[in-house]
Amino acid sequence: MWVVAGLTAAVMFVVRKLRRGGARRPAGGGTPVLLLAACGVAIAQTIVLAALTVFARELDVSATGATWLLTAFMLASAVATPVAGRLGDQFGHRCLLVTGLALLLAGSVVAAVSTPLGSYPGVVTGRVLQGLSGGVFPCAFGLARQTVPAERLGGVVAALSAMFGFGGALGMVAAGPLVDVAGPAVLFWFVAVLALLALAGMVRVPSPSTSASPAGQVDLTGAALLAGTLVALLLAISQGRAWGWSSPGIVMLFVAAVALAAAFGLVERRVAAPLVDLRLLIGPRLLTTNIATLVVAVGMFAAVTLLPLFVQTPTALGYGFGYSPARTGFLMVPMAVCMLVAAPLAARITRSLGAKAAFQAGAVLAAIALGGLALLHEHIAELLVWCALLGLAYGLAFASLGGLVVGAIGQAATGAATGINTILRTIGGAVGSVLAAVIVSAATGPGRPPAESGYTTAFVVASAIALCAAAVTATRGAVNPQPGRQVNVELRDSR
């Protein structure tokens, strides 16, 4: 509980500072609120991960059914993130950020009320509403770029980027102790409190000095096709193991995902105001960054999925530690702390060597930590060391991604570009979680517990994936912007 108490104290400190600042706060004074908002969304994504077995029991569903509490959030977030980023660029990031926080609050309350009632549909609905708050991330980047002074922007962007990983780790840390003390519903009430505090703080965030230009119509056709693509893809990935990878249902889902993606590409190339400018996704300045984002997210979420499963394995199987959810959460503390420490470190590396160097350092450290987990995992002290190194690694990697994206595009496209980058993290997270489970289960027979060799193989694969992320950004086309020397590329219509 000391972790939760510490977070609560930090939140209250932020609120007191905001009250003292009042309306006369200088530009950039709302940064703590933006960080709190981003952290709250990241916590909401992973806070159910360490307690899925508890939710399965409380809601009377199978383990596969319980995983939908994670998948539902990812699906909704993957759809909402680029939409919110685009709308933020058109109509103002502040308005969309407040809307996202309101959805996070509403979804948390719905899920919290539904859990004691044993209403599985109600909890899933709440998680969908929570997932729609994924648009907070691109809007926070856009609002920061409008309100934060240029000399501080690099550090703020790094901190916002780090919140994706730090908040995710913190969600897993807090889940175990909270569930043991007050039951699973308290997880959602905890997120609701964070959302409410962030909403209250938004009142004192300075208004942007520049205004959005709401020109053009919202690309509803593109939004529908993107939603269909992501739902089909993530549904196939998340349910492939349960339904069978060669089953007709999974095959049809993959075929549908490809067909819808092709249709989405055609529509976005022809529409006057596309939901996702494809040049932000596959353009020469952002292609390597987006690929690296997808790859590093696969490796990270594979790791955070494997670790709770590994330490909760009964010692009678010859490995594992038989930990409870609470003790598993405490094991993740070094990871969360090191992710937080990595944000200012990433900013320093970026100032001296560039954002690409910070990302590559993080990816290489992740490969070392995951390789260490594969070879040395017999003692809990070893796991604590590797968790700390992994937190530092992914803190560096995620903190530098915002700088790579923001430094490569013009201000008018900040929300759209960071939205695309965030959605790639979400897709990578879904792929990584499933990939880890598939590798572990492949090492044993049906109905039997996983073998230790499955975890070893999965950690080795995750290590190789992290190295691939470093290699991608080493290509000639990767942009390496310096804070204060932004690559101010304004996208022109080349259709």
Side-chain angles (χ1 to χ4, degrees):
M1 291 300 294
W2 61 270
V3 177
V4 179
L7 177 63
T8 303
V11 168
M12 295 308 297
F13 174 77
V14 169
V15 173
R16 286 196 298 269
K17 295 290 284 183
L18 287 170
R19 287 176 177 172
R20 292 173 186 172
R24 293 177 295 175
R25 287 189 67 86
T31 298
V33 179
L34 298 182
L35 294 175
L36 177 61
C39 187
V41 174
I43 287 174
Q45 177 172 296
T46 60
I47 200 166
V48 301
L49 190 57
L52 288 178
T53 55
V54 178
F55 279 107
R57 183 175 63 252
E58 292 289 325
L59 301 176
D60 194 23
V61 295
S62 65
T64 301
T67 60
W68 270 98
L69 300 185
L70 180 64
T71 305
F73 186 104
M74 286 186 167
L75 286 171
S77 180
V79 173
T81 297
V83 174
R86 177 64 177 174
L87 292 177
D89 288 335
Q90 287 185 319
F91 304 108
H93 299 108
R94 183 193 181 108
C95 176
L96 270 294
L97 200 153
V98 170
T99 301
L101 289 173
L103 288 169
L104 180 63
L105 175 60
S108 300
V109 172
V110 170
V113 172
S114 300
T115 300
L117 300 176
S119 173
Y120 176 68
V123 178
V124 171
T125 299
R127 289 293 286 168
V128 170
L129 290 173
Q130 284 185 322
L132 292 176
S133 68
V136 163
F137 270 99
C139 292
F141 281 112
L143 193 56
R145 193 164 190 176
Q146 293 175 321
T147 60
V148 175
E151 64 273 12
R152 292 182 50 208
L153 182 59
V156 172
V157 167
L160 283 171
S161 299
M163 286 300 104
F164 187 88
F166 169 71
L170 190 58
M172 292 184 290
V173 170
L178 286 172
V179 169
D180 281 0
V181 171
V186 75
L187 301 182
F188 303 123
W189 289 121
F190 177 56
V191 175
V193 170
L194 295 179
L196 188 60
L197 289 173
L199 276 171
M202 283 299 298
V203 176
R204 299 185 182 272
V205 174
S207 298
S209 57
T210 58
S211 58
S213 54
Q217 297 179 344
V218 179
D219 180 16
L220 296 179
T221 302
L225 289 171
L226 177 62
T229 300
L230 295 173
V231 168
L233 177 62
L234 293 183
L235 182 60
I237 291 172
S238 63
Q239 299 301 314
R241 182 186 175 197
W243 297 359
W245 291 104
S246 60
S247 65
I250 295 299
V251 172
M252 289 301 297
L253 282 172
F254 277 121
V255 171
V258 172
L260 289 170
F264 174 73
L266 291 175
V267 168
E268 297 306 281
R269 287 180 63 85
R270 296 178 180 179
V271 71
L275 177 69
V276 175
D277 193 316
L278 297 182
R279 288 160 294 178
L280 295 176
L281 179 64
I282 60 177
R285 292 190 176 277
L286 286 175
L287 178 60
T288 53
T289 298
N290 286 332
I291 293 175
T293 299
L294 181 66
V295 174
V296 80
V298 171
M300 176 187 175
F301 276 85
V304 299
T305 300
L306 289 170
L307 280 168
L309 295 174
F310 181 82
V311 298
Q312 291 179 19
T313 300
T315 55
L317 296 177
Y319 70 98
F321 299 90
Y323 272 19
S324 66
R327 295 186 72 184
T328 301
F330 287 125
L331 177 68
M332 308 299 287
V333 169
M335 182 183 295
V337 171
C338 288
M339 280 186 175
L340 185 62
V341 171
L345 180 60
R348 288 189 176 186
I349 295 175
T350 298
R351 282 194 295 269
S352 58
L353 300 175
K356 184 168 71 173
F359 179 86
Q360 290 174 331
V364 171
L365 286 176
I368 294 173
L370 291 165
L373 282 168
L375 298 175
L376 301 172
H377 52 242
E378 294 182 1
H379 305 286
I380 198 64
E382 295 170 341
L383 293 187
L384 290 171
V385 171
W386 299 130
C387 282
L389 185 59
L390 199 60
L392 180 62
Y394 281 114
L396 287 172
F398 281 126
S400 59
L401 282 173
L404 286 171
V405 174
V406 171
I409 47 90
Q411 180 171 319
T414 299
T418 53
I420 291 171
N421 193 259
T422 302
I423 193 178
L424 291 174
R425 300 187 201 190
T426 302
I427 295 173
V431 173
S433 299
V434 174
L435 178 64
V438 168
I439 294 174
V440 169
S441 63
T444 185
R448 298 177 59 187
E452 183 179 6
S453 60
Y455 286 100
T456 300
T457 302
F459 283 127
V460 169
V461 170
S463 177
I465 290 172
L467 280 179
C468 289
V472 166
T473 54
T475 59
R476 182 176 300 179
V479 176
N480 190 27
Q482 299 280 347
R485 183 177 173 271
Q486 301 288 335
V487 183
N488 193 26
V489 178
E490 296 296 343
L491 297 174
R492 296 179 175 86
D493 196 347
S494 61
R495 293 179 184 83

